[in-house]
Amino acid sequence: MASAVERFRQEASRLGLSPKILEFPEGTRTAAEAAQAVGCHIGQIVKSLVFMAGEEAVLALTSGQNRVDPQALARLMGVSSVRIATPEEVREATGFAIGGTPPFGHSRPLQVFVDRDLLAHDLVWAAAGTPKVVFSLSPQELLAASGGTPAEIREG
Ligand code: 5CA
């Protein structure tokens, strides 16, 4: 079976992107680690967070400096509440593990919302399939490739 990074690369290519994937053996599991590795502002890191609205998985692409407001996400989904997905649910919904979940290229289509704060940057960085690899893209590419809707999903 293709490695997670290879799967991501193939999916990105199908979407018309050829991302330059950077590997950091010290790890980019969290937004803070990714920002330190890349040398960018933490706000430029895309956290790919999966929530469950009932049986449906929803992806919240969130700026590394923000937390998701689950109530805001629930309102957008038209449900009374959402909860963070378990590691198993993340893998089931996306085909990738927590810490390596890319913002697109998943095993099945997901509803996607994009934190508006990500749109303020020239370039953002996201996981490329494992917790050791990241790639950069513009917010416009992020919106197009993820099919995401810009939304107010941050806490506060
Ligand atoms: N590679 C980095 C930056 S590109 C990354 O993937 N960051 S992340 O934020 O998208 O993924 C880590 C997130 O996974 C954490 O913020 C947290 O919300 C979630 N997470 C970590 N452990 C668990 C867990 N045990 N159960 C559910 N969610 C978890």
Side-chain angles (χ1 to χ4, degrees), residues 113-150:
F113 294 102
V114 181
D115 180 353
R116 284 190 198 281
D117 283 358
L118 285 169
L119 308 180
H121 302 282
D122 290 337
L123 213 59
V124 294
W125 295 82
T130 79
K132 288 186 178 172
V133 288
V134 292
F135 71 106
S136 62
L137 73 177
S138 70
Q140 290 70 31
E141 289 171 321
L142 180 68
L143 284 174
S146 68
T149 305

Side-chain angles (χ1 to χ4, degrees), residues 28-31 34 45-49 84-87 90 98-101 125-127 130-131 133-134:
T28 53
R29 178 171 293 278
T30 66
I45 300 296
V46 182
K47 298 193 287 191
S48 300
L49 303 177
I84 190 92
T86 66
V90 172
I98 279 178
T101 309
W125 295 82
T130 79
V133 288
V134 292

Side-chain angles (χ1 to χ4, degrees), residues 47 49 51 60-76 82 84 114-117 151-156:
K47 298 193 287 191
L49 303 177
F51 286 79
L61 300 180
T62 309
S63 167
Q65 72 195 357
N66 293 340
R67 290 176 58 87
V68 168
D69 175 358
Q71 302 258 38
L73 203 52
R75 274 196 297 277
L76 288 162
V82 300
I84 190 92
V114 181
D115 180 353
R116 284 190 198 281
D117 283 358
E152 302 293 338
I153 56 170
R154 68 160 194 222
E155 218 172 51

